[in-house]
Every structure is written in C-alpha cells, then in structure tokens.
C-alpha cells in the first residue's frame, strides 16, 4: 500500500503539476481521489512528499509558498527528462521530416507530448506547419534500422533501387537486379536519408536515397573500416549529395553572399577579398553536377575559377540553360 501511495503521488505530480503551476497538499489529495480513486489522509501525503524532497529520493520534488496562501506549501515534480524547448525541437523535426507519414507524425508527436506534464503538453499544442507534403514509403523505418545494424556489424548489404518516371511509376534500376555495396554511413541531408556506400569491388563512393531502396538484405560479405575515411569530412565536401572527384576548388563570390558561404563552409574557410565587392573562396570539394547546379543558384554572383574542368562544366551548363530561352 505504501508503494502504491508513493507511485500515485509521483504520477499525480508528474501529470498535473509544473514549476509554473505547483499543487498544494489539498489539491494533490483531491486529484488522487478523483483521478486515481484512492483516499489518502493529509498525513500520508505529507509523509510521501517529505520523502520525495529528501536526498534519498531519485525523484526531484520541489516546493514553494502557494500563490493563494503564502503559509501553505505547493509542490511540483521537476522535469528531469526534457525541457519544453527540447521537446519542441523533437516535435518540429518529426513534423518536418518528409519520410515520416502523416499518421506516424501524429502518433510520434502525441508520444513526445506525453513525456511531460499536462500543463507543458498544452503549451506544445501548436504544431509546426510544413510546406512540403509527406510521403509514404513501405518498410522505410525497417530499412533505416537494417542499414545502421549492418554498418555497426561491418556487414555488406544488397538492395534494389529505383526512381519514378513521368507517369509516376516507380521503376527499378538495372531491371530489378540487386546492388551489392559496402555501407559506410547513413546521412540525413535536406529532409532525406542517404546511404553513403561503395559498390562491391569498386572504389567510387556513391550516395543512395534510402526512400528509393527496397528489399534491403545482409549478405555474407564482411568489410573492414578504412581508418583514413572520415564520413563527416566527406559529406561536408558534397554538393546536393552528388558523387564525383575530390578536388581543390576556387570560386569568386559577391560580398553579399559572405554569410551564405560561412554557413556552408564554416568560419575557418579560406576566404580572401579580391576587390571592393568580391571575395575568393578556396576549399576542397567534390566536383560534380551537384556543385555546378549549386553554383548556378547564385547566378552571376558566383564564378568558378578552378579547376579548369569545373569551369568548362559551368560553361556547358550555362550554354545549355540559355538555349532553352532562345
């Protein structure tokens, strides 16, 4: 009975109290009677509250003078799991993730709000509005987990891969044949999960959208981690997750893009003024269609200087682009 009393008071404080709205002893007593169908005396509740405020208790119950009666104490259970802003971050991340279906989004947000008291939960009622639609992907969560487990166990995997055509039909690449790869890491980039991997027997590293993968299966193959490969560094050099050759690149930008470049390459990026209104960025990056298209987003405010093959790719793409409007 003593354990039931203690657990009931803990649950009552966890559900109905907060730092902003603590509960008096009489309020606790009323709630326990109404919501838990348990009749406790003032002494029983007071004894449990004294224990919960002692150093012996693993729960941190605080008290202060009641706003209604300064002679009366009011109690609340300090939330040691999540602060309200932390829950808000998690809720917003779930809401914005396109690969989490609308139904699963609602279920996850409901569970997240259940990790705090009712008062704080109500403050989290206003959900993030996402500008892009959700997509439903069969076995997506299972695939992500399978990939993480394969990477941890150094297991090779195989899977089928495909894309939609203009008729909105999902067509498997290679006529449905399996890709066999060494999985190096899972990356979340611009609302999508990607697998960074090497195809079996090849050295080139390729990124695969996980929502386009199906039938993910472990193989008998085992791979040894490359101590010289830094996944975080590699991903930082990609542009829109396109694969390519790692090169030293140099790009001129108009000064008004300085914050964009610092956001992308970091405060320690090698940036040098070259005129009153232009600066030069020198960095290591993956030369690819992704880099070309990323540079084109800035129009004439960005100019590739080197390497020479990047400059040529830019010229060809600009010629092709301008030809659409002749």
């Amino acid at each position: 009975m003593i354990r039931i009393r203690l657990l009931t008071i803990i649950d009552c404080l966890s559900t109905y109290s907060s730092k902003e709205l603590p509960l008096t002893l009489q309020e606790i007593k009323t709630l326990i009677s109404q919501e838990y169908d348990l009749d406790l005396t003032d002494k029983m509740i007071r004894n449990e509250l004294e224990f919960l405020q002692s150093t012996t208790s693993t729960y941190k119950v605080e008290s202060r003078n009641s706003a209604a009666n300064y002679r009366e104490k009011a109690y609340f259970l300090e939330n040691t799991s999540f602060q309200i802003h932390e829950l808000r971050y998690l809720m917003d991340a779930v809401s914005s993730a396109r690969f989490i279906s609308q139904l699963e989004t609602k279920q996850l947000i409901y569970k997240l709000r259940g990790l705090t008291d009712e008062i704080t939960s109500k403050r989290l009622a206003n959900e993030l509005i996402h500008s892009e639609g959700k997509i439903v992907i069969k076995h997506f969560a299972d695939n992500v987990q399978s990939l993480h487990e394969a990477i941890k166990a150094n297991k090779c995997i195989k899977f089928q891969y495909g894309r939609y055509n203009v008729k909105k039909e999902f067509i498997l690449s290679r006529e449905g044949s399996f890709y066999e790869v060494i999985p190096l890491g899972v990356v979340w980039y611009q609302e999508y999960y990607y697998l960074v991997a090497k195809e079996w027997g090849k050295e080139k590293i390729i990124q695969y959208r996980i929502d386009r993968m199906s039938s993910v299966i472990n193989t008998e193959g085992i791979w040894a981690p490359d101590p010289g490969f830094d996944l975080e560094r590699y991903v930082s050099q990609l542009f829109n997750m396109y694969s390519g050759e790692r090169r030293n690149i140099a790009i001129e930008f108009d000064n008004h893009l300085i914050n964009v470049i610092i956001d992308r390459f970091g405060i320690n990026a090698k940036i040098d003024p070259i005129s009153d209104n232009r600066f030069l960025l020198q960095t290591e990056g993956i030369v690819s269609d992704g880099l070309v298209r990323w540079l084109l987003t800035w129009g004439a405010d960005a100019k590739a200087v080197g390497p020479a093959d990047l400059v040529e790719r830019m010229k060809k793409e600009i010629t092709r682009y301008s030809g659409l409007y002749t």
Side-chain angles (χ1 to χ4, degrees):
M1 180 63 180
I2 294 175
R3 288 184 178 179
I4 293 174
R5 287 202 312 251
L6 180 61
L7 292 174
T8 301
I9 292 171
I10 291 170
D11 189 71
C12 179
L13 290 172
S14 175
T15 304
Y16 299 106
S17 75
S18 70
K19 186 176 182 178
E20 293 76 16
L21 290 172
L23 298 174
T24 65
L25 187 148
Q26 292 306 313
E27 287 171 333
I28 295 170
K29 183 178 179 180
T30 300
L31 281 167
I32 288 175
S33 176
Q34 293 175 348
E35 302 296 330
Y36 300 87
D37 195 25
L38 188 64
D39 291 324
L40 301 180
T41 64
D42 291 4
K43 184 178 180 180
M44 290 176 179
I45 298 172
R46 189 175 290 109
N47 288 341
E48 301 299 352
L49 289 172
E50 287 177 359
F51 169 75
L52 289 170
Q53 289 185 284
S54 69
T55 56
T56 308
S57 174
T58 56
Y59 292 90
K60 193 172 182 182
V61 171
E62 301 286 350
S63 66
R64 66 180 189 214
N65 292 334
S66 169
N69 182 357
Y70 73 93
R71 294 181 179 179
E72 188 176 22
K73 291 289 185 182
Y75 304 86
F76 64 94
L77 181 64
E78 188 170 295
N79 186 352
T80 56
S81 298
F82 292 98
Q83 299 297 316
I84 186 169
H85 69 278
E86 294 170 333
L87 288 171
R88 174 63 70 188
Y89 294 158
L90 294 172
M91 287 172 56
D92 289 350
V94 169
S95 294
S96 63
R98 295 193 66 207
F99 52 82
I100 303 178
S101 69
Q102 197 64 50
L103 176 60
E104 193 173 8
T105 295
K106 290 183 179 296
Q107 292 172 340
L108 285 170
I109 287 177
Y110 178 80
K111 291 177 181 178
L112 286 170
R113 289 178 62 184
L115 294 174
T116 189
D117 58 87
E118 283 194 354
I119 297 163
T120 305
S121 179
K122 289 177 181 177
R123 294 174 64 191
L124 293 166
N126 185 39
E127 297 177 14
L128 181 73
I129 301 300
H130 192 241
S131 60
E132 297 183 10
K134 296 278 191 175
I135 52 178
V136 179
I137 306 162
K138 191 176 182 181
H139 304 308
F140 179 81
D142 293 336
N143 287 346
V144 172
Q145 186 59 32
S146 295
L147 292 172
H148 277 293
E149 290 175 0
I151 293 166
K152 185 177 180 181
N154 295 340
K155 289 274 192 179
C156 295
I157 61 165
K158 65 179 183 178
F159 56 87
Q160 292 174 303
Y161 197 73
R163 293 177 176 82
Y164 285 98
N165 63 16
V166 294
K167 296 179 181 178
K168 302 180 183 178
E169 300 166 330
F170 190 78
I171 306 299
L172 291 174
S173 303
R174 301 181 181 178
E175 298 182 341
S177 297
F178 278 81
Y179 291 65
E180 295 191 36
V181 305
I182 297 170
L184 302 175
V186 171
V187 177
W188 187 359
Y189 176 80
Q190 292 186 349
E191 302 185 20
Y192 292 103
Y193 270 116
Y194 289 84
L195 171 68
V196 178
K198 284 184 181 179
E199 196 159 2
W200 185 257
K202 300 180 182 179
E203 287 301 312
K204 185 178 180 181
I205 299 174
I206 300 176
Q207 292 68 245
Y208 301 92
R209 278 256 302 266
I210 296 178
D211 57 291
R212 294 176 179 167
M213 296 167 59
S214 63
S215 306
V216 177
I217 304 170
N218 283 355
T219 70
E220 296 300 318
I222 301 292
W223 56 280
D226 178 0
F229 178 71
D230 185 330
L231 178 64
E232 185 175 349
R233 181 168 177 265
Y234 171 76
V235 171
S236 71
Q237 296 171 345
L238 292 172
F239 293 86
N240 297 326
M241 299 306 286
Y242 278 80
S243 299
E245 185 180 354
R246 183 183 296 147
R247 304 284 293 281
N248 290 321
I249 60 177
I251 307 163
E252 290 183 14
F253 292 96
D254 274 14
N255 285 348
H256 75 90
L257 289 175
I258 185 62
N259 286 285
V260 172
I261 300 310
I262 289 175
D263 287 345
R264 175 64 177 79
F265 297 95
I267 193 68
N268 294 320
K270 182 172 174 52
I271 295 170
D272 297 298
I274 55 176
S275 70
D276 289 342
N277 56 7
R278 302 276 280 187
F279 66 88
L280 179 69
L281 167 73
Q282 297 180 76
T283 188
E284 191 176 45
I286 303 295
V287 176
S288 65
D289 289 342
L291 173 56
V292 171
R293 292 169 187 177
W294 181 76
L295 286 171
L296 287 174
T297 61
W298 309 116
D301 294 340
K303 176 186 175 183
V305 178
D309 58 332
L310 171 60
V311 175
E312 287 304 310
R313 289 175 74 160
M314 292 294 298
K315 289 178 180 179
K316 288 180 181 179
E317 190 67 15
I318 291 168
T319 300
R320 190 171 75 91
Y321 184 77
S322 62
L324 294 174
Y325 296 95
T326 56

